[in-house]
Amino acid sequence: MNPSSLRTRVFPINPFPLLSIFFFFSLAIPTSASTPYDKYCNDVVPASDPTGPRSQPDSLLRFDTAYYSGGNPVLGPQDVASFRALSASETRTAGVFRIDGILTFLGPRFASINTGNWTRMINPHLPRGVSRSRVGFRLTGYWSQADGKLCMIGSGMRSSLASVNVGLKLNYPNSSNLESSLVTGTLECLDAGDDFSMVSIMGFSLRNYEYKLVDRENENGGFEMYDGMENVSLSFGTGPAVCNAVRGAGIFELEYMEDCGSVSCDPLGGGSGGILPGFMSFNDIECTNKGRVRYLIDFANTSYNGHHLPFNPSTVLVAEGVWNVKKKHLDLVACRILNFKDTVAKASLGDCSIMLSLRFPSTMTLRSRSTVVGQMWSNKSMNDSGYLGRISFESPRNGNTRVEGLRYEYTEVRNLSKSCTGKITGKHKNVTYPNGYSSDMRFDMTVRNSKGQVAWGYSSPLSVGDRFYGYGVQSAIAVPVSDSQSGMLNISYVLSFNPRSDFQLGGEKPSIKYVEISAEGTYHAETGVLCMKGCRHLGSRNRTFAKNESLDCEMFINIQYAPLNAKDRSNAKGTIESNRNKSDPLHFERIELFANSISILQADESIWRMDLEIAMVLISNTLACIFLILQLFHVKKNPDALPFISVVMLTALTLAHMIPLVLNFEALFVANRNRQNVFLGSGGWLEVNEVLVRVITMVAFLLQFRLLQQTWSTRVGGTGSWDRLWVSDKKVLYFSLPLYVGGGLLAWFVHLWKNSYNSRLLRLRQFGVQQPSFWGDFKSFAGLVLDGFLLPQIVFNAFCDSKERALAPAFYIGTTVVRLLPHAYDLYRAAHGSTWNFGGIYANPRMDYYSTAWDITISCGGLMFIVLIYLQQRFGGRCFLPKRFRESAVYEKVPVVASTELTTREVIS
């Protein structure tokens, strides 16, 4: 192939066929003797004919984490760039390869906020389904193995409707070590008049890397400070276990040693702007199966999750390291990035005098709960320029990383024997407490100090006995309940909470944002008593080079777990008390904690009850529809009964069915995403059942409206003889309307009173409980009206003294029973219910009038209404009144037209 045939090829990441074809043919047809590659790259790597087939390169040219700047307006906020060679071919020129590759720029997972001398990274929470922005360029060119020059041209889509032609120049050495491992270069726009600014790129070579500096320091004994600690450190092979352990440790907290008061302890050599960083993280560049690693060590003043974030050359070190299998520590040598102020394309690595050594403690204790610890220092002498004072660092305490071989050592249990003995009250009969290994030992909690200020957090075991709790390599071990036996269990804990801005704890400022307490002690499974000694971590580690304490271990923690089979719906509760004198600045008043979580047994009971209540709701609504259908059949068979049904009763029933539908109309079509789903992931199933309930309720409403329409039509279509029935219904309205309006106003005043009372209570206790809504109380009152739906019919029968069997027994008995069943169930639930109340689906106490008093009152009233309707339809509307009130007009039915239409002739007795 002739070199002149090399043309810029268009492979847009977001293909746009017509534009791609246009650019391909426009560039493939030569218009002059020179080609675009010749114009841009001939002075870098001249083109050459390929001599062999293309092959898939094995890491021939690649970098995964590269810094870039520029690129406006095509590239968005800076995050990370990567390059990968897709294929490679040898050419006629020795040591020159034809390369096809792709250069990709990924948009940010995090947004940058400038906070003075540092940049704080926050997650912008992209909407679900929206991925990170990605801009890519398909490139073709040549790479010279001798001098590491790479030049390529290609194109990519700058938007959905526009392409941009670019040229890439990189310095990618064939082999490198720590000081020469930078890959630098530029990406330029080849389109005349385009506003795409030049992009400067800085990455790290992954080709033929040699670990020279760390090997030389090991030969010179530069990492002997950790020698002799093999017995207290974990051992790894030469596989990726070391990388996994460091990666899983997360963010490391820095502690500056005493010599930092007289020498420089800035690991960035002044690049931090005079503010010493408090945290650092290790981001992988390369991790081999031979125990050799390369890292970007990123420094920050906040403990954000620094893994795989875009790096700033002024806040990172570049390191290489090797795992010392015999001495059991990871040794690293780090360099600073230099000469990047003007452009990163000219950056270099230098000042490789920083040493780091990390080890993995084999045990965790109350005062030491980091899985990775280490130190950083300089191999220069103290009088040399650039000397770095000693800095220690450790991974987060109580982290989630559980390396195989790690164990917990209880160092304070013996000292607690006297303090804990007095807390154990003795075994209770027929009472079961959580097993020490069960998930019931972990709970969310509310914390309240002596001033009533509240914070929220969690409490969880770290280890139980000789096993770590719940996760890690030991989580797969099945622990039978009988392991706890009748004695005490050694147990370690972590308690953490986030206080409000005004929350005060001892002599600390109210602005503390996070409190973490490590604890260990004993748990008595027969009494549910957890007794521990705690150590509170006093904020950030020492950065002022003084000998201040970083732990306050003078505190006592006592927690009483609730019985699993308790019927009083109690939860775990406890106290945290300081053992210091009141004059001590670290002394604090007693803190109370209350569990907010439920036990597994309570969850199982609630799930069973939830399924039962869903079935009961569906059955009740279906039965209501059936009874309405039976009433419609009844009036069809007995059309003369229609005029004697109270229109007021039917109107009240219709409105009572309609109000819940109107207030929950969106449940028929869309899920209300602002509503909190019921726990344990069952929200979707509950929403489906809620839609079914609303559909059945709508069917009941339509049937009820049909019955109202038939009654109204019969009254209106009749003769003037029906006027006396209208008069009776008006009297019912005059009687019922003040009753309903007065009840509604009373419900409204009660709603206002509850809101006012709850607001005062919330301000007093600072609990974030949701306030009951007005519409919720209005729906509750509508439910109460529906419970007493027979009242207007009873009054109507009394006014017209009718003994017509207007209501089918199945309708008035069945509908009343359907309305009373929730109250009977609520009484049963109160006596035999779950130990945890999730609010209820059937007979929800938050939606209707459900309490022992209301349940009994409404049930007795409903049964009384059934008896009265039965007596009225058998003996007359006024049969239950005294004898002197029974004499009145009597109505005699006389057929006046054929078939169904009837009239009434009044006979005065």
Side-chain angles (χ1 to χ4, degrees):
M1 181 182 293
N2 193 312
S4 64
S5 65
L6 180 62
R7 302 291 179 253
T8 302
R9 304 172 64 186
V10 179
F11 296 98
I13 286 183
N14 297 317
F16 193 80
L18 294 178
L19 282 175
S20 300
I21 294 173
F22 171 76
F23 278 109
F24 177 81
F25 282 105
S26 65
L27 294 174
I29 301 175
T31 58
S32 63
S34 61
T35 67
Y37 182 86
D38 293 335
K39 292 180 180 180
Y40 184 72
C41 294
N42 196 53
D43 60 337
V44 181
V45 184
S48 181
D49 292 335
T51 59
R54 297 181 181 181
S55 61
Q56 296 295 329
D58 184 15
S59 300
L60 177 63
L61 298 177
R62 179 171 65 91
F63 55 79
D64 297 323
T65 304
Y67 175 87
Y68 72 88
S69 62
N72 294 326
V74 177
L75 303 181
Q78 177 267 326
D79 188 0
V80 65
S82 64
F83 176 81
R84 188 176 300 271
L86 301 177
S87 64
S89 305
E90 293 184 0
T91 66
R92 295 183 183 275
T93 304
V96 174
F97 293 83
R98 176 190 169 107
I99 305 294
D100 291 324
I102 182 170
L103 177 65
T104 305
F105 298 89
L106 288 177
R109 285 167 292 190
F110 288 73
S112 300
I113 295 181
N114 190 356
T115 57
N117 296 309
W118 293 89
T119 298
R120 180 185 177 191
M121 311 306 295
I122 62 171
N123 195 324
H125 299 293
L126 295 176
R128 182 178 298 178
V130 178
S131 60
R132 301 169 62 190
S133 61
R134 179 188 296 262
V135 179
F137 300 90
R138 290 292 293 267
L139 304 164
T140 299
Y142 293 89
W143 174 64
S144 173
Q145 189 175 27
D147 57 11
K149 300 293 185 180
L150 172 68
C151 191
M152 310 177 78
I153 61 172
S155 65
M157 302 300 293
R158 64 177 295 165
S159 67
S160 59
L161 297 175
S163 175
V164 58
N165 297 294
V166 296
L168 174 69
K169 295 180 180 179
L170 289 179
N171 294 313
Y172 200 115
N174 183 45
S175 61
S176 63
N177 54 44
L178 180 58
E179 294 175 298
S180 62
S181 60
L182 281 187
V183 176
T184 58
T186 59
L187 179 74
E188 301 178 64
C189 178
L190 302 183
D191 297 327
D194 198 293
D195 58 350
F196 181 20
S197 63
M198 185 175 67
V199 183
S200 298
I201 302 172
M202 182 186 68
F204 302 95
S205 171
L206 299 177
R207 178 174 173 79
N208 298 330
Y209 186 86
E210 299 177 2
Y211 293 81
K212 289 184 177 180
L213 294 186
V214 69
D215 288 344
R216 185 175 63 194
E217 289 294 340
N218 265 317
E219 292 175 359
N220 297 334
F223 299 99
E224 293 180 352
M225 61 171 296
Y226 271 144
D227 290 354
M229 303 188 71
E230 296 87 349
N231 295 332
V232 293
S233 300
L234 294 175
S235 177
F236 298 99
T238 57
V242 176
C243 289
N244 295 335
V246 175
R247 186 184 304 115
I251 308 302
F252 290 78
E253 193 170 358
L254 304 179
E255 180 180 7
Y256 296 92
M257 309 303 285
E258 295 180 21
D259 59 346
C260 291
S262 56
V263 298
S264 173
C265 281
D266 187 352
L268 302 173
S272 60
I275 302 177
L276 295 180
F279 304 90
M280 73 177 184
S281 60
F282 290 81
N283 298 317
D284 299 350
I285 297 177
E286 185 178 26
C287 183
T288 71
N289 292 326
K290 298 180 179 180
R292 296 183 177 271
V293 296
R294 295 169 64 194
Y295 288 116
L296 265 178
I297 305 176
D298 195 356
F299 293 87
N301 64 345
T302 57
S303 57
Y304 66 88
N305 184 2
H307 288 290
H308 309 296
L309 289 179
F311 66 88
N312 185 338
S314 63
T315 61
V316 298
L317 300 177
V318 184
E320 67 177 21
V322 61
W323 172 250
N324 190 323
V325 178
K326 184 177 180 180
K327 301 297 183 180
K328 300 181 183 179
H329 48 76
L330 177 63
D331 304 325
L332 298 165
V333 176
C335 302
R336 296 188 176 104
I337 300 178
L338 308 174
N339 305 321
F340 61 87
K341 297 297 183 180
D342 296 331
T343 173
V344 294
K346 297 181 180 180
S348 61
L349 291 176
D351 193 7
C352 302
S353 61
I354 300 175
M355 319 281 285
L356 300 93
S357 188
L358 292 78
R359 72 177 186 90
F360 304 85
S362 59
T363 60
M364 298 177 71
T365 64
L366 176 63
R367 289 176 167 81
S368 177
R369 292 194 174 182
S370 297
T371 56
V372 186
V373 296
Q375 289 201 15
M376 181 190 313
W377 69 98
S378 175
N379 62 3
K380 296 181 178 180
S381 63
M382 185 176 294
N383 296 325
D384 291 342
S385 175
Y387 174 80
L388 178 69
R390 194 171 295 273
I391 305 171
S392 67
F393 53 86
E394 62 181 18
S395 61
R397 299 168 293 268
N398 304 306
N400 294 332
T401 303
R402 296 293 175 265
V403 183
E404 186 174 1
L406 182 66
R407 63 185 181 88
Y408 190 91
E409 181 180 350
Y410 299 92
T411 58
E412 303 289 341
V413 170
R414 293 182 179 179
N415 300 330
L416 285 172
S417 57
K418 294 182 180 180
S419 301
C420 293
T421 303
K423 301 291 182 180
I424 300 175
T425 58
K427 183 177 179 180
H428 303 280
K429 294 183 179 180
N430 302 322
V431 174
T432 303
Y433 290 95
N435 173 264
Y437 301 96
S438 73
S439 59
D440 295 330
M441 300 297 291
R442 178 177 51 213
F443 57 85
D444 295 331
M445 64 181 181
T446 301
V447 179
R448 185 170 61 200
N449 63 12
S450 58
K451 296 184 177 180
Q453 297 166 328
V454 173
W456 290 268
Y458 74 93
S459 174
S460 175
L462 179 67
S463 65
V464 181
D466 58 353
R467 298 177 176 92
F468 283 103
Y469 178 83
Y471 46 74
V473 296
Q474 311 228 13
S475 61
I477 301 176
V479 182
V481 175
S482 60
D483 277 7
S484 61
Q485 299 177 355
S486 60
M488 292 193 181
L489 280 172
N490 291 336
I491 194 167
S492 63
Y493 257 76
V494 53
L495 297 91
S496 174
F497 58 91
N498 296 296
R500 294 160 53 104
S501 59
D502 58 348
F503 192 94
Q504 292 188 356
L505 183 62
E508 293 191 13
K509 298 180 179 180
S511 60
I512 54 175
K513 297 180 179 179
Y514 183 73
V515 176
E516 183 179 74
I517 298 175
S518 301
E520 73 173 42
T522 57
Y523 174 68
H524 197 264
E526 295 184 352
T527 61
V529 174
L530 176 63
C531 177
M532 299 182 293
K533 179 177 181 177
C535 287
R536 177 165 60 103
H537 302 277
L538 304 177
S540 301
R541 302 287 289 182
N542 176 15
R543 301 184 192 176
T544 59
F545 327 124
K547 295 183 178 180
N548 297 328
E549 293 181 77
S550 60
L551 290 176
D552 173 18
C553 293
E554 296 298 325
M555 62 177 61
F556 183 81
I557 302 169
N558 181 64
I559 298 176
Q560 174 65 63
Y561 281 87
L564 297 177
N565 54 351
K567 297 183 179 181
D568 58 354
R569 300 181 180 179
S570 59
N571 285 325
K573 58 184 179 181
T575 58
I576 305 174
E577 301 180 63
S578 175
N579 294 332
R580 296 179 179 270
N581 296 326
K582 291 188 176 182
S583 59
D584 194 307
L586 295 179
H587 172 81
F588 57 87
E589 298 296 329
R590 172 185 291 190
I591 294 176
E592 297 177 321
L593 58 91
F594 308 91
N596 300 326
S597 306
I598 63 172
S599 67
I600 296 298
L601 180 61
Q602 290 171 329
D604 291 340
E605 291 178 355
S606 297
I607 291 173
W608 178 86
R609 184 159 62 90
M610 190 187 305
D611 294 336
L612 173 64
E613 293 187 7
I614 290 173
M616 293 176 70
V617 170
L618 295 175
I619 292 173
S620 297
N621 283 273
T622 303
L623 288 176
C625 294
I626 293 174
F627 297 144
L628 275 168
I629 293 173
L630 292 177
Q631 175 64 25
L632 289 172
F633 279 125
H634 174 74
V635 297
K636 183 177 181 181
K637 184 178 180 181
N638 303 282
D640 55 336
L642 266 175
F644 293 92
I645 302 177
S646 172
V647 175
V648 175
M649 180 194 72
L650 295 180
T651 303
L653 278 172
T654 305
L655 291 176
H657 281 95
M658 183 182 69
I659 289 174
L661 287 174
V662 172
L663 297 180
N664 294 275
F665 185 74
E666 78 282 356
L668 289 171
F669 306 102
V670 296
N672 184 359
R673 298 303 175 190
N674 293 326
R675 181 178 60 246
Q676 183 180 4
N677 286 332
V678 179
F679 68 101
L680 299 179
S682 57
W685 174 244
L686 290 178
E687 289 174 359
V688 171
N689 283 280
E690 185 177 2
V691 171
L692 292 177
V693 170
R694 301 305 173 194
V695 170
I696 297 174
T697 304
M698 177 170 282
V699 172
F701 164 72
L702 294 176
L703 293 172
Q704 191 69 60
F705 186 78
R706 173 59 178 167
L707 183 60
L708 173 62
Q709 183 265 335
Q710 284 186 333
T711 303
W712 188 280
S713 299
T714 302
R715 292 267 194 95
V716 173
T719 64
S721 302
W722 301 126
D723 292 343
R724 299 300 299 271
L725 295 179
W726 283 113
V727 170
S728 296
D729 247 331
K730 287 181 181 179
K731 293 179 180 179
V732 174
L733 181 62
Y734 296 152
F735 174 83
S736 303
L737 189 60
L739 187 65
Y740 293 151
V741 172
L745 291 174
L746 181 61
W748 183 51
F749 285 125
V750 170
H751 168 80
L752 294 179
W753 175 81
K754 286 195 299 183
N755 275 358
S756 175
Y757 175 78
N758 289 337
S759 297
R760 293 195 301 269
L761 187 63
L762 295 180
R763 285 195 298 268
L764 178 63
R765 298 184 178 180
Q766 301 179 6
F767 286 131
V769 181
Q770 184 178 3
Q771 295 278 7
S773 67
F774 169 75
W775 291 114
D777 289 342
F778 188 69
K779 286 168 62 177
S780 299
F781 180 70
L784 181 62
V785 171
L786 199 58
D787 290 338
F789 76 99
L790 288 176
L791 178 61
Q793 182 67 40
I794 294 172
V795 177
F796 176 83
N797 289 341
F799 279 128
C800 66
D801 197 18
S802 169
K803 60 179 181 180
E804 180 67 32
R805 296 185 179 181
L807 302 180
F811 172 72
Y812 70 83
I813 295 177
T815 303
T816 302
V817 170
V818 167
R819 294 300 308 175
L820 297 185
L821 273 178
H823 295 281
Y825 172 75
D826 187 57
L827 288 172
Y828 172 83
R829 181 173 58 192
H832 306 87
S834 170
T835 58
W836 179 74
N837 179 23
F838 67 91
I841 299 172
Y842 184 72
N844 187 349
R846 299 176 183 174
M847 298 303 298
D848 280 327
Y849 293 87
Y850 290 105
S851 65
T852 302
W854 275 111
D855 291 337
I856 295 175
T857 301
I858 293 174
S859 298
C860 292
L863 295 176
M864 182 182 67
F865 287 169
I866 292 176
V867 173
L868 289 177
I869 289 291
Y870 173 78
L871 294 176
Q872 285 181 326
Q873 294 189 163
R874 184 175 179 87
F875 301 109
R878 301 179 182 177
C879 64
F880 60 89
L881 296 177
K883 200 167 186 179
R884 66 176 180 273
F885 294 110
R886 296 179 188 177
E887 297 179 357
S888 181
V890 177
Y891 294 88
E892 176 186 352
K893 297 189 298 292
V894 178
V896 294
V897 293
S899 70
T900 62
E901 188 166 339
L902 302 174
T903 186
T904 303
R905 182 179 60 191
E906 184 181 23
V907 180
I908 305 297
S909 57

